[in-house]
Amino acid sequence: MRDLYGHLPIQNFVNTQINPTESTISQHAALTALRGPQDVVATMVDAYRERRDAAIGQLSAAGIPSVRPGGSFFLMADIGHSGLDSWSFSRELLKQTGVAVVPGAAFGPAGDRFVRISLAAAMDVVVEGTRRIGAFAATPRAA
């Protein structure tokens, strides 16, 4: 059986043993970033906090509970009340509104009532995306 790229399982195993870490140039780039000026870190933390708060506000206004992230730029929104599993919700949301989210079930069975929303976009995109999620979730579904 071959994977998506046509590799045999043994090829995948061998590749993970040959390339177990990041490339040397990536490691040097990371070291340079860590040793360089850090003022941009506080700026980005503030930007993500503002996006998180705006997204949570939009979702709350639409009656969608969410899990407040403590240190990432992803937000988990509870779409259990929509009547759809997370895969169906994500697929239909994309098809009908153009908004892409990650089904919570991709992270295990307990995540099936959630979708993961990225906050790594401009503020206006996050606000509009979460507004569309709220409108979509409020749409009545045929039983």
Side-chain angles (χ1 to χ4, degrees):
M1 180 173 181
R2 294 180 182 268
D3 71 6
L4 184 63
Y5 303 104
H7 298 127
L8 297 171
I10 191 68
Q11 288 172 306
N12 289 333
F13 173 76
V14 170
N15 192 38
T16 62
Q17 302 311 306
I18 294 171
N19 300 313
T21 62
E22 295 301 320
S23 67
T24 302
I25 196 165
S26 296
Q27 292 180 31
H28 284 284
L31 187 57
T32 299
L34 290 171
R35 290 182 174 162
Q38 299 298 305
D39 52 325
V40 70
V41 174
T43 301
M44 288 311 302
V45 167
D46 290 343
Y48 285 126
R49 183 180 301 114
E50 289 172 9
R51 294 173 199 169
R52 178 201 66 198
D53 293 346
I56 289 173
Q58 286 281 2
L59 294 170
S60 290
I64 300 173
S66 58
V67 179
R68 182 185 224 66
S72 78
F73 49 80
F74 297 108
L75 176 67
M76 298 298 282
D78 186 339
I79 49 89
H81 71 284
S82 73
L84 297 172
D85 62 76
S86 64
W87 290 103
S88 298
F89 185 95
S90 299
R91 186 174 39 256
E92 290 303 312
L93 177 69
L94 179 61
K95 195 183 318 181
Q96 294 180 32
T97 72
V99 175
V101 295
V102 177
F107 304 100
D112 199 33
R113 64 179 293 122
F114 295 91
V115 293
R116 185 176 79 167
I117 300 167
S118 174
L119 304 174
M123 175 68 90
D124 60 328
V125 174
V126 170
V127 169
E128 178 60 18
T130 50
R131 186 198 64 74
R132 291 182 191 182
I133 291 168
F136 175 78
T139 303
R141 309 270 181 267

